[in-house]
């Protein structure tokens, strides 16, 4: 959906911002009660926040405030454990984001939300978010981020082959040297952990051959030292010394 195909949404007014701030405060209160296992005290603030956002949405459709209200509802329903309502609010929020800012902005939000969900332990939903992001932007910087997050999630679940393949797919998008170096370091650590030293050495060779422009000088030194250590571990002491 092209951003220029629709008028820009009306900005958030001071009154609407007050409602959004109050909803965020109530959500924070509900979250703290949940963290303290005070479940009977958590529901009230969360329900109040949802009601505030429903009122805002009734009077501010197709505005920036409406989009922000949908996101607040998404997070509140998540804390309430209401899966269907949570996903409905998120779909509406994403629809507005695509309409107002385009597919790439929506894909960035999907990747960011996937990162958050992985931290909360919801890898299944995070995986769906990343698949959506890749469907919207199969190439480019957002695709790199999506593959890298997917790889990290796979590592957490000890799905090492999947993690490695996702790192490779991220590299196929030709990220800038600094990001490529971070991905290669992850792959090297993964292969070394699994005892695949030949693969780790091969990746370290590529890491050391990355363009130095855009890389901090200390990183280049670290990469050479890493390659030397890998040569040493694999028994190639001569190569380790030359490095």
């Amino acid at each position: 959906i092209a951003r220029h195909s629709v008028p820009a949404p009306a900005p958030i007014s001071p009154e609407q911002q007050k409602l959004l701030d109050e909803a965020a405060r109530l959500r924070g209160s509900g979250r703290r009660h949940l963290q303290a296992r005070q479940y009977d005290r958590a529901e009230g603030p969360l329900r109040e926040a949802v009601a505030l956002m429903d009122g805002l949405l009734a009077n501010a459709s197709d505005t920036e405030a409406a989009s922000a209200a949908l996101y607040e509802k998404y997070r509140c329903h998540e804390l309430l454990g209401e899966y269907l309502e949570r996903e409905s609010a998120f779909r509406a929020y994403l629809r507005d984001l695509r309409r107002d800012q385009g597919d790439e902005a929506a894909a960035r939000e999907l990747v960011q939300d996937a990162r958050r969900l992985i931290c909360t332990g919801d890898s299944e939903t995070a995986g769906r978010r990343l698949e959506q992001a890749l469907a919207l932007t199969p190439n480019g910087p957002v695709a790199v981020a999506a593959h890298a997050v997917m790889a990290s999630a796979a590592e957490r679940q000890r799905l090492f082959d999947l993690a490695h393949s996702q790192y490779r797919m991220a590299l196929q998008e030709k990220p800038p040297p600094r990001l490529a170096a971070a991905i290669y370091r992850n792959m090297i650590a993964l292969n070394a952990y699994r005892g695949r030293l030949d693969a780790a050495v091969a990746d370290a060779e590529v890491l050391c051959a990355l363009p130095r422009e855009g890389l901090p000088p200390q990183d280049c030194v670290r990469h050479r030292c890493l390659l030397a250590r890998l040569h040493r571990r694999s028994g190639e002491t001569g190569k380790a010394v030359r490095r």
Side-chain angles (χ1 to χ4, degrees):
I1 301 174
R3 186 175 181 178
H4 63 266
S5 63
V6 294
I12 299 173
S13 70
E15 293 77 14
Q16 291 168 338
Q17 188 60 58
K18 286 181 182 178
L19 290 174
L20 291 167
D21 291 344
E22 178 62 9
R25 186 192 68 78
L26 290 165
R27 173 164 60 87
S29 175
R31 185 181 64 250
R32 287 189 293 275
H33 285 313
L34 288 173
Q35 290 170 340
R37 299 187 178 183
Q38 298 169 337
Y39 304 116
D40 56 331
R41 299 179 63 184
E43 184 173 0
L46 295 171
R47 295 285 181 208
E48 189 178 346
V50 169
L52 280 177
M53 295 300 92
D54 283 339
L56 194 158
L57 285 163
N59 297 292
S61 60
D62 298 331
T63 66
E64 288 185 16
S67 181
L70 286 167
Y71 185 78
E72 281 298 329
K73 285 192 65 176
Y74 163 55
R75 296 295 300 277
C76 287
H77 285 304
E78 180 178 71
L79 291 170
L80 287 163
E82 297 172 337
Y83 176 81
L84 293 178
E85 292 85 351
R86 177 190 82 166
E87 290 303 289
S88 176
F90 187 76
R91 283 195 299 272
Y93 168 67
L94 202 67
R95 177 204 63 215
D96 285 0
L97 195 60
R98 292 184 68 192
R99 178 199 65 205
D100 298 336
Q101 300 183 39
D103 286 352
E104 187 169 342
R108 280 197 302 270
E109 182 65 22
L110 284 161
V111 172
Q112 184 61 32
D113 198 54
R115 286 196 183 100
R116 185 186 65 81
L117 289 167
I118 288 169
C119 291
T120 67
D122 191 355
S123 296
E124 184 177 347
T125 306
R128 288 199 295 273
R129 298 278 194 266
L130 294 169
E131 289 172 0
Q132 282 181 277
L134 288 168
L136 289 174
T137 56
N139 305 107
V142 180
V144 173
H147 286 301
V149 173
M150 201 173 286
S152 177
E155 277 197 73
R156 286 180 179 225
Q157 298 175 67
R158 301 183 69 81
L159 302 172
F160 298 129
D161 288 336
L162 175 60
H164 196 272
S165 68
Q166 288 298 320
Y167 282 134
R168 284 290 180 199
M169 291 179 77
L171 289 169
Q172 287 175 7
E173 294 301 317
K174 301 187 185 307
R178 193 161 190 162
L179 180 53
I183 294 171
Y184 272 114
R185 288 195 296 267
N186 287 342
M187 291 171 60
I188 290 163
L190 181 59
N191 280 321
Y193 172 77
R194 301 176 73 190
R196 298 182 174 181
L197 290 180
D198 288 347
V201 167
D203 285 336
E205 293 276 8
V206 178
L207 175 62
C208 290
L210 287 174
R212 295 191 175 218
E213 296 79 8
L215 285 178
Q218 62 269 28
D219 278 6
C220 297
V221 175
R222 287 172 53 210
H223 298 161
R224 292 290 176 185
C225 292
L226 173 60
L227 180 56
R229 288 197 302 272
L230 289 169
H231 278 309
R232 211 173 288 120
R233 282 183 61 182
S234 62
E236 297 177 314
T237 53
K239 288 185 178 180
V241 170
R242 286 198 298 274
R243 293 293 174 189

